[in-house]
Amino acid sequence: MGGSVSCCISPGESPKIHRKEVELEECPITTTEDVSEDTGTYLQHISDRELPDELAQEANPSDHPRASTLFLNKSQTDVREKRKSNYTNHTSPGLLTKKYSSCSTIFIDDSTVSQPNLKSTIKCVALAIYYHIKNRDSNRSLDIFDEKKHPLSREKVPDDYSVVDPEHKLIYRFIRTLFSSAQLTAECAIVTLVYLERLLTYAEMDICPSNWKRIVLGAILLASKVWDDQAVWNVDYCQILKDITVEDMNEMERHFLELLQFNINVPASVYAKYYFDLRSLADDNNLSFPLEPLSNKRAQKLEAISRLCEDKYKDLSKSAMRRSVSADNLVGIRNSQAVLS
């Protein structure tokens, strides 16, 4: 996938194979009453070894639409503390920057689940990553994502790189640079966050100051290839990040896929959940999506779309009425009085 070297084939034996072998060794082998010693053993079906649905949802929020997202849970601590502090100190919320519609002016949010606003979505994704780093449980990481061992630039990595948490603006600038240079879409940013949380869940690791750049880069790299039909190659990212090599990009992408267990599927329900949770995160942190007044041209366009949907609904209702009228006529004929001559 991208570059001159294939990144999907590991030169050595995949750790996923060892994982399967350990699971098979630990899995109990049962025998049925009808099977004799000559016929061999009976392996337990994989569905019998799977976790219950509730446990699976709790463990993999990036796979199930009903499970709460990790970043929203991590942000609630700061949101509650901020509200409590404002209430205790009687702090005024200040001037209201949010626009509201009136009788003369109607404000419309151009960001929708099918076409999110790019700038606002990147800000929300960067804020979600910021809360992941700030409220992390520990510093569990892997060497492939360590910026000290695999630097992204030739500049010397600071000694306190693994201690100081990055600010929201720094994360936003890093993601915005990649998205603007590679011309990626807002939908790709949401998929990036899904892959990031799936990595943290599957690999049982944390995103921290020492690995956040490479984890975000790997998630963007994978999301752009899955979402876009004409994806950016790994060698193109090397032109954006001048000091990184194609071999390093391929190795990081291969490890990312293996840690995801090659599960790159993002259901529409999961995508929608992440979109609306990002909007909730924006509301909690006063990150308003752009609102524009409804113009005459936009109003005419919305009216045309509404009229088209109304015509389709009328056609469906007419076809349904025909079937009901024919039944009524049939009943009418059955109840008609006979004329005797």
Side-chain angles (χ1 to χ4, degrees):
M1 298 172 70
S4 58
V5 183
S6 174
C7 58
C8 296
I9 303 178
S10 176
E13 194 175 9
S14 172
K16 185 180 179 185
I17 299 178
H18 297 289
R19 194 183 304 117
K20 289 183 177 179
E21 293 176 356
V22 172
E23 291 176 358
L24 289 177
E25 292 176 359
E26 295 177 355
C27 175
I29 300 177
T30 58
T31 57
T32 58
E33 298 178 356
D34 299 334
V35 178
S36 60
E37 296 180 356
D38 297 335
T39 57
T41 58
Y42 170 75
L43 288 177
Q44 186 181 17
H45 193 268
I46 187 172
S47 61
D48 299 332
R49 302 195 302 268
E50 290 179 348
L51 293 174
D53 191 31
E54 295 181 357
L55 295 178
Q57 290 177 5
E58 183 179 357
N60 303 322
S62 61
D63 292 330
H64 301 273
R66 288 181 292 175
S68 179
T69 53
L70 297 179
F71 70 87
L72 196 61
N73 292 333
K74 291 182 178 294
S75 67
Q76 292 305 310
T77 303
D78 288 27
V79 171
R80 286 193 294 266
E81 291 180 356
K82 187 184 301 183
R83 291 175 179 173
K84 183 178 180 181
S85 177
N86 293 338
Y87 177 79
T88 304
N89 300 327
H90 303 284
T91 304
S92 174
L95 296 176
L96 296 177
T97 58
K98 188 175 181 180
K99 300 177 182 179
Y100 294 92
S101 300
S102 62
C103 298
S104 59
T105 306
I106 299 177
F107 291 98
I108 292 183
D109 184 0
D110 286 338
S111 181
T112 60
V113 67
S114 58
Q115 292 181 344
N117 181 271
L118 178 60
K119 184 178 180 180
S120 300
T121 303
I122 293 179
K123 280 186 177 181
C124 293
V125 170
L127 185 60
I129 296 173
Y130 167 77
Y131 279 120
H132 264 292
I133 300 174
K134 182 181 179 181
N135 299 326
R136 63 187 181 276
D137 298 329
S138 61
N139 292 314
R140 299 170 298 177
S141 183
L142 297 174
D143 292 342
I144 188 62
F145 300 117
D146 195 332
E147 194 175 351
K148 188 77 172 182
K149 299 180 180 179
H150 301 275
L152 297 178
S153 63
R154 297 179 182 177
E155 298 179 359
K156 183 181 178 181
V157 180
D159 296 333
D160 58 349
Y161 81 105
S162 60
V163 180
V164 180
D165 294 343
E167 296 292 334
H168 174 224
K169 293 182 179 179
L170 179 61
I171 302 174
Y172 170 71
R173 285 197 296 266
F174 179 77
I175 300 176
R176 184 190 61 185
T177 301
L178 294 175
F179 269 72
S180 59
S181 301
Q183 298 181 357
L184 302 178
T185 60
E187 296 88 348
C188 185
I190 298 176
V191 177
T192 297
L193 185 59
V194 175
Y195 287 158
L196 188 147
E197 292 203 344
R198 186 173 295 175
L199 174 72
L200 300 182
T201 304
Y202 282 23
E204 296 182 353
M205 58 181 296
D206 300 285
I207 182 169
C208 49
S210 62
N211 62 11
W212 72 268
K213 284 187 177 180
R214 291 183 62 87
I215 289 180
V216 171
L217 177 60
I220 293 176
L221 179 69
L222 189 59
S224 63
K225 292 183 178 182
V226 173
W227 184 262
D228 294 335
D229 295 332
Q230 296 179 350
V232 182
W233 288 12
N234 292 4
V235 66
D236 297 326
Y237 285 99
C238 296
Q239 296 178 1
I240 302 174
L241 304 171
K242 303 293 183 180
D243 301 327
I244 194 171
T245 62
V246 181
E247 292 75 16
D248 187 16
M249 295 283 290
N250 292 340
E251 183 182 4
M252 180 176 60
E253 183 184 13
R254 183 176 64 249
H255 279 80
F256 206 107
L257 281 169
E258 290 176 353
L259 292 172
L260 290 184
Q261 302 177 17
F262 298 92
N263 180 16
I264 58 176
N265 180 42
V266 179
S269 54
V270 172
Y271 172 87
K273 177 187 68 175
Y274 271 79
Y275 169 79
F276 288 110
D277 282 358
L278 284 173
R279 297 210 52 144
S280 300
L281 182 68
D283 292 337
D284 294 337
N285 292 270
N286 298 325
L287 290 179
S288 58
F289 279 69
L291 294 175
E292 296 182 358
L294 180 62
S295 60
N296 293 333
K297 184 177 180 180
R298 183 68 185 276
Q300 293 174 359
K301 185 178 180 180
L302 291 176
E303 185 179 1
I305 296 175
S306 177
R307 193 174 299 165
L308 180 62
C309 296
E310 186 178 357
D311 293 340
K312 290 183 178 179
Y313 176 76
K314 286 182 178 179
D315 294 338
L316 293 175
S317 60
K318 285 181 179 180
S319 60
M321 287 178 62
R322 291 193 191 98
R323 289 193 293 268
S324 61
V325 168
S326 62
D328 292 340
N329 293 337
L330 185 60
V331 173
I333 295 174
R334 182 183 302 171
N335 295 335
S336 60
Q337 297 179 357
V339 179
L340 301 178
S341 57

